[in-house]
């Protein structure tokens, strides 16, 4: 696909023919968006070098991620981090409605938000894992966008950066809460995903894929379930209380216990069968999970 590079906030605002009040952050209200009638756009989507948050209020625009389309409902938020690409298709009579908030990573330098931006894992979610807002949640989001816009319209002073990033951080924190709510209210979908995950995990060990492909990764199962790794990891954590990596390791140790109990095989052979390149790495993980080495476990039994 042919993507338009959005490396800076001004790249996007310039393309949209919209006034930018601050070089590192901007809010675009599509209600006041007036496209340049002479401008042409021959791209299939955007490749972002900055953070982008979209609040969609229109149903006739479809976005693509990983070759799949997602048809948005009203009141949906999409979070895109630097390095991600998003394609789109739209109706001929499409008129965008909603808001776009873009900010450059440089805005966060030396701020409290800069120290915790990696905590907002939803910036690495796929488009089809968007946040669906209730009417009350949407009002909260709009109120925070209004506060950020208010600061952008003031003359810059020594308080500007702190107030802008503080309100931005509050917006991201609320969205984190709303995502947690979405996980909780989608129990049926989540349980089905976890059941499928368990089946795939069991099949991986039963078919001895570990010998050829090594220890299974979070990314491997996320792709098998058509989810982004971050979304999959957050879903598993919310439902089970442990990280996806720990969940996989716990299952691996359950299989390892059965193999270690078979004294016809050496501990090194068991380690290689489970996908470990180095037996000492297996022994270290086994002791970390069980409190004893593989040999101690074998002798105890």
């Amino acid at each position: 696909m042919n993507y338009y590079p959005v490396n800076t906030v001004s790249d996007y605002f310039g393309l949209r023919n919209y006034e930018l009040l601050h070089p590192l952050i901007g809010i675009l209200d599509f209600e006041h968006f007036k496209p340049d009638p002479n401008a042409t756009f021959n791209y299939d989507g955007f490749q972002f070098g900055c953070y982008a948050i979209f609040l969609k209020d229109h149903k006739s625009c479809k976005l693509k991620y990983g070759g799949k389309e997602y048809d948005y409902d009203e009141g949906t938020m999409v979070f895109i981090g630097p390095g991600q690409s998003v394609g789109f298709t739209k109706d001929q009579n499409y008129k965008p409605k909603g808001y776009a908030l873009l900010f450059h990573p440089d805005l966060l330098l030396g701020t409290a938000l800069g120290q915790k931006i990696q905590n907002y894992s939803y910036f690495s979610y796929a488009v089809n894992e968007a946040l669906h807002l209730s009417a009350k949640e949407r009002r909260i989001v709009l109120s925070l966008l209004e506060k950020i816009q208010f600061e952008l319209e003031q003359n810059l002073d020594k308080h500007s950066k702190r107030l802008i990033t503080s309100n931005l951080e509050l917006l991201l924190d609320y969205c984190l809460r709303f995502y947690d709510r979405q996980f909780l209210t989608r129990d049926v979908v989540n349980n089905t995903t976890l059941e499928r995950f368990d089946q795939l995990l069991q099949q991986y060990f039963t078919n001895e894929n570990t010998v050829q492909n090594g220890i299974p990764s979070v990314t491997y199962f996320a792709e098998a379930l058509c989810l982004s790794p971050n979304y999959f990891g957050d879903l598993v954590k919310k439902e089970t209380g442990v990280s996806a990596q720990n969940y996989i390791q716990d299952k691996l140790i359950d299989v390892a216990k059965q193999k270690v109990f078979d004294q016809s095989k050496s501990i090194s052979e068991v380690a290689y069968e489970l996908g470990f390149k180095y037996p000492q790495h297996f022994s270290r993980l086994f002791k970390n999970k069980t409190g004893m080495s593989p040999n101690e476990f074998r002798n105890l039994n």
Side-chain angles (χ1 to χ4, degrees), residues 8-37:
T8 65
V9 180
S10 61
D11 286 342
Y12 186 82
F13 276 68
L15 179 69
R16 295 304 193 191
N17 193 32
Y18 202 92
E19 182 183 11
L20 181 63
L21 303 176
H22 190 292
L24 298 178
I25 182 171
I27 297 175
L28 191 156
D29 182 354
F30 285 103
E31 189 72 26
H32 304 295
F33 167 55
K34 295 180 180 179
D36 184 350

Side-chain angles (χ1 to χ4, degrees), residues 26 61 65 97 108 127 136 182 197 243 253 272:
C61 178
Y65 190 94
K97 184 180 179 184
L108 311 182
V127 167
K136 183 182 292 185
Q182 183 164 299
F197 173 38
S243 69
I253 294 301
Y272 293 133

Side-chain angles (χ1 to χ4, degrees), residues 161-176:
K161 183 173 181 177
R162 178 177 56 82
L163 289 170
I164 290 171
T165 57
S166 294
N167 281 296
L168 178 58
E169 181 178 354
L170 187 56
L171 171 64
L172 299 181
D173 283 340
Y174 266 110
C175 291
L176 194 60

Side-chain angles (χ1 to χ4, degrees), residues 228-247:
S228 63
N230 273 9
Y231 187 90
F232 172 66
D234 287 346
L235 185 153
V236 173
K237 183 68 178 291
K238 296 293 188 305
E239 292 294 320
T240 67
V242 299
S243 69
Q245 183 64 36
N246 279 329
Y247 193 91

